[in-house]
Amino acid sequence: MSALSPRGLLLIALLALARPAAAQPSPPPAAPAPPAAPAPRPPRSAVARVVDTLARSLAVDGRVLVAAAPLVSDAPAPRGAQLAATLAAHLAGKLGASVHAQKDPLPLPLAREAARDDAALVHLAVEIAAGRLRVTADVYPVPRTVWARIRDPEPGPIAHAYAEAPVDAEIRSFLAPIPLVAARVDRAKNFEGDVVALACGDLDADGALEILSVSRRRVTTLRLRGGRVVPLASRSWPDVVAVHPSPLREPLAFATLVERARDGEVLPPFADVGLTDRARSVRFDGELRALAELPGLAIPDAGGSACTTAWGPLLTGPLGRCAPADPLPSTSALTGRYDALASAQLLSARGEPFSVWATREHGAVELRDSVGRRKVVGSAGAQLAVGDLDQDGEPELLASLDVLDPLEDAVVVWSWRRREGAPAHAAPEEILRLPAPAGVRALAVCPPDGAGRAPFAVATADEIWVVR
């Protein structure tokens, strides 16, 4: 074989450099990151929500009077006149510096007379019905001359707006108190007996409440109808997330509904569910589609969720965000060693948001709020929930009993009076006790869904209750 010339060797080298490298298998495409969840929506008072909605819908110029008609209510309202005047004053403040409010409620003919020196009248029709505040606003022009008054003494409205919101603690302060000494219990036989957590709310934004039930086998949304538990949607745990490598013999479980908002629009809540049987917690939407797996155990935290990345039989240690878009937890760590925990964000009678936590350690439950108040209930069981059942701006603690025999179990409700003037040494007061001889497995407070007190849900060994 003849040797290649230097020129031939150079040509071969150039061809080798130009030849494409052998094709390498391309890595699989990365799974798309889930969209950032909208931030949890802090609670806003019914007055603020209604006034903001009306103000966005109305545009007025010049000197304008806002007057409210006398309140129409299906519940006793000893301070109904003050509520109507409060709404008028808040709306006047939102509409501009040249807008002023009538101090006393007036029907439309008298309100027209009171506005005779103004350019326009905004008249509010205020109603409380079926547990909701409903306000209709009509803008009426005011005739400027004698001839205008003769031609049309009572001109029709030139603009219209409507807003409503559920009655809350601030609105309830104008109404007669709701007693908590009696209860109606709707019971239904459950199709599973190992429920370990409950949540309650309008998950699918259809205007009706659903119960989210968490068992060791599945997550289910359900309602009670005609004495029956009716499942709406269900997801088996093996289809959602892997088993924890060392699950606890007695599981810890939490279900938290987190309300959301994006660009001022209220969205259906998502559900964060944590169970120590599973390797990670899961964020579900209202149809129980898994939105994301969350690190560690998701626990309730002041209207949202926080995640603890390590746990044993007791809850302790650092807390972090459950998802990057979530707000920081209200506290950086659990400083005690707890076997039960509950939390909620509520509204005071002044419409101010505050948070409440209940933690159980060595059989005693400590209540604390976001302004530093603390009280202890000497003995309570390991099933806890907190909420404002009578919507008076003061929290209630719901708990099972610390008993070994299920026949002796019960749901007990304590009221924590935090308002100014209450004795500093006063312990939470027991106001309701419901025997539950099958044993209490889980508790949850529901949002108000009518004129009475807020309902709460109970899971026993064989039933689901809704207590009103």
Side-chain angles (χ1 to χ4, degrees), residues 222-249:
L222 56 90
R223 289 187 181 131
L224 270 60
R225 291 175 179 161
R228 296 174 55 243
V229 171
V230 179
L232 304 176
S234 186
R235 291 295 303 274
S236 174
W237 276 119
D239 296 337
V240 179
V241 68
V243 175
H244 193 278
S246 53
L248 302 178
R249 181 176 179 182

Side-chain angles (χ1 to χ4, degrees), residues 215-350:
S215 74
R216 303 188 76 172
R217 292 175 293 173
R218 63 173 65 89
V219 181
T220 306
T221 55
L222 56 90
R223 289 187 181 131
L224 270 60
R225 291 175 179 161
R228 296 174 55 243
V229 171
V230 179
L232 304 176
S234 186
R235 291 295 303 274
S236 174
W237 276 119
D239 296 337
V240 179
V241 68
V243 175
H244 193 278
S246 53
L248 302 178
R249 181 176 179 182
E250 293 294 332
L252 298 173
F254 300 94
T256 306
L257 301 189
V258 183
E259 293 189 342
R260 304 172 293 161
R262 178 185 282 125
D263 299 329
E265 178 187 359
V266 177
L267 304 175
F270 54 68
D272 286 351
V273 179
L275 174 63
T276 54
D277 286 355
R278 297 289 147 182
R280 296 166 74 86
S281 299
V282 181
R283 178 164 291 174
F284 294 97
D285 66 8
E287 297 180 0
L288 295 188
R289 290 186 294 252
L291 301 177
E293 292 186 11
L294 309 176
L297 185 68
I299 63 173
D301 179 55
S305 295
C307 279
T308 173
T309 55
W311 68 84
L314 300 174
L315 299 168
T316 191
L319 295 175
R321 290 185 175 101
C322 287
D326 289 357
L328 286 171
S330 61
T331 182
S332 60
L334 298 174
T335 56
R337 297 173 61 82
Y338 309 123
D339 62 0
L341 181 148
S343 181
Q345 195 165 44
L346 306 173
L347 284 169
S348 73
R350 297 178 180 177

